[in-house]
Amino acid sequence: MSDQRFRKGRRLTAIVALGCLGALLAPSSALAARTTRTGDAVQQHLNQLVRDDEFPAALATVRDRDGRFHDYTAGVGDLKTGTRVPADGYVRIGSNTKTFTAVVVLQLVGEGKIRLDAPIETYLPNLIRGDGIDGRHITVRQLLQHTSGLPNYTSMLANGLLPYLHRYFEPRELLDLALAQKADFAPGTKWEYSNTNYAVAGLLVEKVTGRPISEEITRRVIDRIGLRHTYFPGVGDQTIREPHPHGYHHDDPKAPLTDVTVMDPSFGWAAGELISTPSDVDRFFTALLAGRLLAPAQLKEMRTTVPAPSLGTGVRYGLGLTSTPLSCGGLVWGHGGDIDGFSTTNGATDDGRAATIAVTELLSNETQLGHVTSALDTALCR
């Protein structure tokens, strides 16, 4: 959900970005070109994440310029049994979901059913109202770009997730949690990350299409490009498909880790509920930025960015998409995502390099963030 506790709900995504590859391999070709490596620089970074940063597990998939996928693992997949980490296992991908949601909204823009610069009031009349909050003055673009000023509904998790671990939230309930707060700023006057923007975007899609956002993401994105290992959990589904590493969390840093693999992810909804694998995350962003999901005009809008200073030096935010400088030059495009139990950092370049790294506990300090982003940079710049 991109809610790092040590940034008061803001995602620390210094170099977190995904996929602008030239071509998307079919799933069968990608699997045929897969290898597992154990001794190179990326593996050394993953070993460090487990050894020095004490993440229970780390797993990564890197796509090289030739379209070959390489899998890496470190640590243990289940602290109780000590089982190995499954290569390219399923993980909760948190706020990478926002990019899927943004794609659906932009497809509807291309179909003439939504206008980016129309007030959200046009589609959801009399819904977005609160202290300093008025849907007549918030545009669809501002929602997708986090410039709306809507307060973050996930502030309700400020004191910890564990009391809500198996709690189901209706989408409208998430919005009500936000609207009970005061606006963060006037629409369009600054940038600030808020999951509420994408809860509203999900409601927008449902109003315009008459179908659930989960169904629209599946039909318009997942099935369209053949993502065989990406899915939106059904209502009440608290599990993760096999194979997967376990995810861990503690509300109190002094307390032992709790296994949160089985949890209700409904608080993420259109902002952070999807489950996927590292290689499928790479495939999604590859297809997106190769033009397989959006027409050129909508892809251009998505890649039109504003500064996002709280995400890291040089990071800019488009419409559900970030751009970040690499140490070896150029940009990586993507998003990244956190949800309790899992943190995913990912990126891809215009010349065909791509990588996704997942750890099985949220980052809790700047040192861990530096090590994860350094691992991604190494994967893309080696």
Side-chain angles (χ1 to χ4, degrees), residues 3 53 96 366:
D3 290 304
D53 296 301
N96 286 299
E366 298 281 356

Side-chain angles (χ1 to χ4, degrees), residues 136-173:
R136 292 170 294 187
H137 306 300
I138 296 171
T139 67
V140 174
R141 184 189 301 275
Q142 288 167 344
L143 293 172
L144 298 183
Q145 200 151 47
H146 294 299
T147 57
S148 71
L150 288 175
N152 202 340
Y153 72 79
T154 49
S155 60
M156 61 121 188
L157 299 176
N159 294 322
L161 165 78
L162 296 181
Y164 304 100
L165 193 61
H166 303 294
R167 166 83 148 78
Y168 173 72
F169 288 91
E170 288 282 354
R172 177 57 193 270
E173 189 176 4

Side-chain angles (χ1 to χ4, degrees), residues 245-321:
H246 287 229
Y248 297 90
H249 176 76
H250 47 203
D251 290 340
D252 180 355
K254 297 179 182 178
L257 288 171
T258 297
D259 189 327
V260 295
T261 310
V262 177
M263 63 174 288
D264 194 312
S266 57
F267 67 89
W269 196 51
E273 194 167 346
L274 279 173
I275 294 172
S276 188
T277 62
S279 64
D280 252 18
V281 171
D282 288 342
R283 291 186 186 100
F284 163 64
F285 282 91
T286 298
L288 169 62
L289 294 172
R292 294 186 56 191
L293 288 166
L294 292 174
Q298 281 71 59
L299 186 56
K300 182 179 179 181
E301 295 281 13
M302 192 176 218
R303 292 179 63 148
T304 301
T305 60
V306 298
S310 66
L311 297 188
T313 303
V315 181
R316 297 178 65 89
Y317 202 96
L319 305 184
L321 194 66

Side-chain angles (χ1 to χ4, degrees), residues 152-216:
N152 202 340
Y153 72 79
T154 49
S155 60
M156 61 121 188
L157 299 176
N159 294 322
L161 165 78
L162 296 181
Y164 304 100
L165 193 61
H166 303 294
R167 166 83 148 78
Y168 173 72
F169 288 91
E170 288 282 354
R172 177 57 193 270
E173 189 176 4
L174 301 176
L175 179 60
D176 289 344
L177 287 167
L179 297 180
Q181 306 173 58
K182 185 178 180 180
D184 287 338
F185 52 87
T189 60
K190 62 181 292 188
W191 184 93
E192 189 168 303
Y193 196 96
S194 174
N195 290 293
T196 306
N197 290 311
Y198 279 79
V200 177
L203 293 171
L204 167 65
V205 169
E206 294 195 338
K207 182 64 179 291
V208 170
T209 65
R211 304 301 304 169
I213 182 65
S214 57
E215 183 178 304
E216 289 299 299

